[in-house]
Amino acid sequence: MEKYERKGQIKYTRTGTPTLLQYADEMPGVPLQNIWTDIPPVNPQARERVGYPTQKPESLLERIVTASSNAGDIVLDPFCGCGTTIAVAERLKRQWVGIDISPTAVNLMRRRLLEATNGAVDAKLIGMPTSEVDLKRLKHFEFQNWVLQQIVATPSARKTHDMGIDGLSFMYHEPVQVKQSEKVDRPVVDKFFTAIKRTDKDTGYVIAFSFTRGARNEVARLQREEGIKIVLITVAELLLASDAITRPDREPTFDVAKPSGWRGPSRDHKRLLQALKERAGLPPIQAPPANTMPSGKALVDSVRDS
Ligand SMILES: C[S@@+](CC[C@H](N)C(=O)[O-])C[C@H]1O[C@@H](n2cnc3c(N)ncnc32)[C@H](O)[C@@H]1O
């Protein structure tokens, strides 16, 4: 005690009980073992949570990155999910490369980095869908998410999804349905009309690769007779409108032929896509609700199938 007393390491409580001050760097500690149980999973209320089903805690990646690299080194995560590794690597002054098979995940990564760095770091995206052909090749879930992210919509929970509403548009919260098909016909319009009628909205959007004349006639009839406006938007129009709104004076992002009669984004396109302008084309941070996301296992299985 006298030795510690001389070093100023004994502190006394108000009632006079002595306690020894110990400093972490003076204790050898126990090296980490193979099984780590001291890092809890991401808490549902945590600020770092972005809603990705298999998101790992930043403190876990911080330990791995710190233990295995130095500032300036390049960190690679080829299964990067919502980008925990690259967010941590950026903070720890590493260079980084993140890879994921899912465009939904890549958009989340980009947004997460932008938010974490107050807009200072915008990732360079490589291999994202840029044409109708690319979008046709996506799995249905990815296509739907890609479109909803593109228009900054909120993905629906499963209950509304069952009624044919895949998401709600930015700000106006109008129903949006996404179809990864050509020649979407009248029955789809009629079903969507019923779904819109159950909401308090009088406008909805269907996005698909193409629509039949029957579908367009039905849309006109419903507006005339029922006062409900259903806007049919082709994927080509969506891509062209998106470029026209976000990159009017720059190289377009999307490789798409102009449909005959295309005269630039219509009022409906602008209403649906206005968030793009406000947010400078950023995809939204939120992941789809957990009950519409495939589990980690389903994601892995879907890749195994393809
Ligand atoms: C367990 S999650 C990663 C979670 C990540 N550590 C995080 O904190 O968000 C695995 C990821 O691997 C991706 N994936 C699966 N197969 C892949 C493949 N063949 N190439 C690239 N990514 C793949 C999935 O889309 C999923 O996002």
Side-chain angles (χ1 to χ4, degrees):
M1 266 188 80
E2 281 169 3
K3 185 177 95 194
Y4 287 124
E5 182 75 61
R6 276 197 297 279
K7 287 165 82 181
Q9 275 183 257
I10 305 281
K11 291 275 171 224
Y12 296 91
T13 63
R14 251 187 313 174
T15 52
T17 313
T19 47
L20 177 63
L21 277 183
Q22 285 183 296
Y23 297 103
D25 61 356
E26 289 173 356
M27 295 186 291
V30 182
L32 276 172
Q33 307 298 303
N34 285 351
I35 298 175
W36 298 352
T37 53
D38 58 325
I39 298 181
V42 182
N43 180 303
Q45 307 302 327
R47 255 177 63 83
E48 71 183 75
R49 186 180 175 84
V50 301
Y52 203 71
T54 54
Q55 182 177 354
K56 301 293 174 289
E58 291 193 4
S59 48
L60 174 66
L61 271 304
E62 212 171 283
R63 182 178 289 173
I64 296 170
V65 171
T66 316
S68 55
S69 68
N70 298 311
D73 285 351
I74 304 176
V75 173
L76 169 73
D77 185 346
F79 300 88
C80 204
C82 60
T84 313
T85 307
I86 58 177
V88 168
E90 175 65 33
R91 180 151 36 86
L92 296 175
K93 303 202 172 8
R94 272 61 169 170
Q95 304 178 73
W96 44 259
V97 179
I99 301 175
D100 203 284
I101 201 167
S102 153
T104 309
V106 174
N107 275 333
L108 276 172
M109 282 181 216
R110 176 183 172 212
R111 181 74 201 203
R112 183 173 181 176
L113 267 164
L114 277 164
E115 297 228 332
T117 60
N118 272 333
V121 178
D122 192 359
K124 182 173 169 201
L125 307 190
I126 299 170
M128 290 290 273
T130 57
S131 67
E132 286 180 279
V133 176
D134 292 347
L135 289 166
K136 279 182 182 158
R137 281 203 202 114
L138 291 183
K139 287 185 183 298
H140 175 67
F141 169 78
E142 286 294 342
F143 175 73
Q144 187 175 302
N145 264 332
W146 188 91
V147 171
L148 295 177
Q149 285 182 328
Q150 195 59 36
I151 60 175
V152 197
T154 313
S156 297
R158 185 160 288 156
K159 226 166 121 214
T160 41
H161 180 249
D162 286 345
M163 285 167 42
I165 297 176
D166 297 319
L168 298 178
S169 69
F170 181 72
M171 207 156 95
Y172 298 106
H173 297 153
E174 290 162 341
V176 176
Q177 185 174 73
V178 182
K179 290 265 169 210
Q180 197 181 17
S181 40
E182 297 275 4
K183 298 193 177 123
V184 164
D185 207 355
R186 188 183 163 139
V188 170
V189 172
D190 285 333
K191 218 169 136 202
F192 191 48
F193 163 71
T194 313
I196 298 173
K197 262 199 358 192
R198 285 190 216 153
T199 70
D200 60 350
K201 305 289 173 189
D202 58 7
T203 304
Y205 303 84
V206 185
I207 294 158
F209 285 97
S210 63
F211 299 93
T212 63
R213 187 183 290 264
R216 293 195 185 276
N217 290 343
E218 183 65 353
V219 161
R221 187 188 71 76
L222 290 172
Q223 179 151 21
R224 212 172 43 239
E225 294 178 12
E226 307 279 348
I228 297 251
K229 180 172 176 181
I230 297 181
V231 183
L232 305 181
I233 299 182
T234 64
V235 171
E237 286 173 339
L238 178 72
L239 303 185
L240 287 167
S242 169
D243 271 338
I245 290 170
T246 59
R247 313 174 63 84
D249 308 317
R250 287 176 289 160
E251 277 287 289
T253 321
F254 300 115
D255 176 15
V256 54
K258 289 193 173 110
S260 63
W262 170 257
R263 274 190 237 101
S266 68
R267 255 179 36 197
D268 292 329
H269 294 142
K270 286 183 185 153
R271 182 175 169 99
L272 187 69
L273 287 166
Q274 61 153 342
L276 288 188
K277 195 161 190 176
E278 284 176 27
R279 297 189 177 191
L282 299 182
I285 182 73
Q286 97 241 56
N291 66 352
T292 66
M293 294 281 283
S295 62
K297 181 175 179 314
L299 279 172
V300 172
D301 287 350
S302 77
V303 174
R304 214 169 269 143
D305 294 345
S306 58

